[in-house]
Amino acid sequence: MERQTEYTWKVNDIQEETPQVKSIYLSAITNRPDFIAGQYLTVKLPNLGPVEGKAYSISSMPHEALIRITVKKMGTFSDALLSLKTGDILTTSKPYGFFYPDVDGVTPLVFLAGGIGITPILSILKDLSHKNDPRPLFLFYSNRTEQETVLQNELSVVAEQNPHLSVHCFITRETLVADGYIAGRMTPAHLQKFVPASTSADYFLCGSMDFTKSLWKTLRANGIQQHQIYTEGFF
Ligand SMILES: Cc1cc2nc3c(=O)[nH]c(=O)nc-3n(C[C@H](O)[C@H](O)[C@H](O)COP(=O)(O)OP(=O)(O)OC[C@H]3O[C@@H](n4cnc5c(N)ncnc54)[C@H](O)[C@@H]3O)c2cc1C
């Protein structure tokens, strides 16, 4: 039997996360594809963007009935997505991607997210927590401003529920930051301070291409082997 590669969805709900970012909740019109936390869909809009669509990571958990993507306003395509209304119909690919940890791994996992790059990482962190995965989890999440720190409430909830997860939020364009935030860029010194045995962990980097490239180089220069680093660059 031919494997299904396209899916049709109805926009079930839309939530504004920040003035630039909305979460779009999708319900499958026919069948809903399974996915692994960390994967993405390519969304297709008629007469807009590449024929294969544009990629959006799934920010919800695999067992949830609705699939959620969280979109930041960047250019024409994201603008069109952010203009969708409840009840609109859209088409996507099946879920793709290899940005996820081993199911049976035991290595501590360190996640480095830049801005909207939190989307697949939130899905992974919530899914691992939901499954009571015992691995130590560390999130380093960088944003320009506190206001741009999307999905912060969900991160706080999951960090409260999962004693193995520690969350460190960085703000790069403000010097006076609220309690719980760190002003400035994340550096190797932060990793060494917060992650015991930081050289034996696996690393998951997600954000803009500049963010992922620069942190990949930093990790490599600090003794992390190539096979320990997973990247998802948004372009
Ligand atoms: C695997 C994958 C997963 C993705 N997941 C998400 C997601 O969960 N949420 C989301 O909002 N986007 C995600 N993206 C990015 C998304 O596919 C589009 O590229 C994005 O929405 C911009 O498309 P656009 O047509 O609106 O803007 P464009 O016209 O393509 O871009 C407008 C301007 O913004 C720049 N730009 C584009 N993306 C970024 C970025 N991330 N950081 C800095 N500058 C950028 C472009 O170079 C250009 O100058 C993902 C991309 C990939 C490859």
Side-chain angles (χ1 to χ4, degrees):
M1 205 169 90
E2 196 181 314
R3 286 197 156 191
Q4 188 171 350
T5 54
E6 275 210 350
Y7 291 83
T8 310
W9 307 84
K10 185 162 99 176
V11 176
N12 190 283
D13 192 17
I14 298 171
Q15 295 289 332
E16 183 171 298
E17 305 290 356
T18 71
Q20 301 292 315
V21 177
K22 285 181 188 170
S23 284
I24 302 171
Y25 292 80
L26 303 171
S27 54
I29 300 261
T30 48
N31 53 332
R32 172 196 177 287
D34 289 333
F35 71 94
I36 301 169
Q39 288 190 309
Y40 63 88
L41 302 168
T42 59
V43 178
K44 297 167 196 194
L45 293 175
N47 308 319
L48 197 64
V51 278
E52 70 277 14
K54 285 211 173 194
Y56 292 90
S57 297
I58 302 169
S59 60
S60 52
M61 286 182 278
H63 70 274
E64 292 175 305
L66 299 179
I67 280 194
R68 178 180 71 174
I69 56 172
T70 303
V71 179
K72 180 173 182 182
K73 185 179 169 68
M74 301 291 304
T76 326
F77 198 87
S78 51
D79 211 24
L81 272 181
L82 294 173
S83 308
L84 287 172
K85 302 275 176 274
T86 306
D88 283 350
I89 304 294
L90 56 80
T91 306
T92 73
S93 67
K94 65 181 185 180
Y96 287 116
F98 300 97
F99 184 72
Y100 49 78
D102 282 352
V103 181
D104 302 322
V106 288
T107 314
L109 303 175
V110 181
F111 298 88
L112 308 179
I116 194 65
I118 192 66
T119 48
I121 290 177
L122 178 66
S123 174
I124 295 170
L125 291 175
K126 287 179 74 173
D127 186 48
L128 291 173
S129 303
H130 175 74
K131 292 172 173 158
N132 294 318
D133 192 292
R135 276 173 279 192
L137 307 173
F138 303 88
L139 171 64
F140 295 82
Y141 181 23
S142 179
N143 283 280
R144 288 184 298 192
T145 64
E146 279 177 46
Q147 199 219 22
E148 285 177 54
T149 308
V150 286
L151 303 166
Q152 169 75 47
N153 292 347
E154 280 182 49
L155 281 172
S156 301
V157 171
V158 71
E160 260 171 41
Q161 290 168 346
N162 185 345
H164 307 297
L165 169 63
S166 64
V167 174
H168 308 279
C169 291
F170 294 77
I171 300 297
T172 58
R173 299 268 176 96
E174 292 169 336
T175 43
L176 282 178
V177 294
D179 278 358
Y181 290 92
I182 301 167
R185 292 187 178 279
M186 52 174 96
T187 65
H190 290 113
L191 296 178
Q192 282 147 17
K193 178 175 171 193
F194 294 117
V195 184
S198 56
T199 49
S200 61
D202 280 343
Y203 288 80
F204 289 78
L205 321 183
C206 186
S208 66
M209 293 304 283
D210 285 350
F211 176 89
T212 48
K213 272 188 201 162
S214 134
L215 281 169
W216 189 88
K217 283 186 194 157
T218 304
L219 291 177
R220 293 288 290 120
N222 282 271
I224 310 300
Q225 302 301 308
Q226 205 160 321
H227 68 85
Q228 294 172 266
I229 310 175
Y230 299 74
T231 60
E232 191 78 288
F234 286 4
F235 57 87

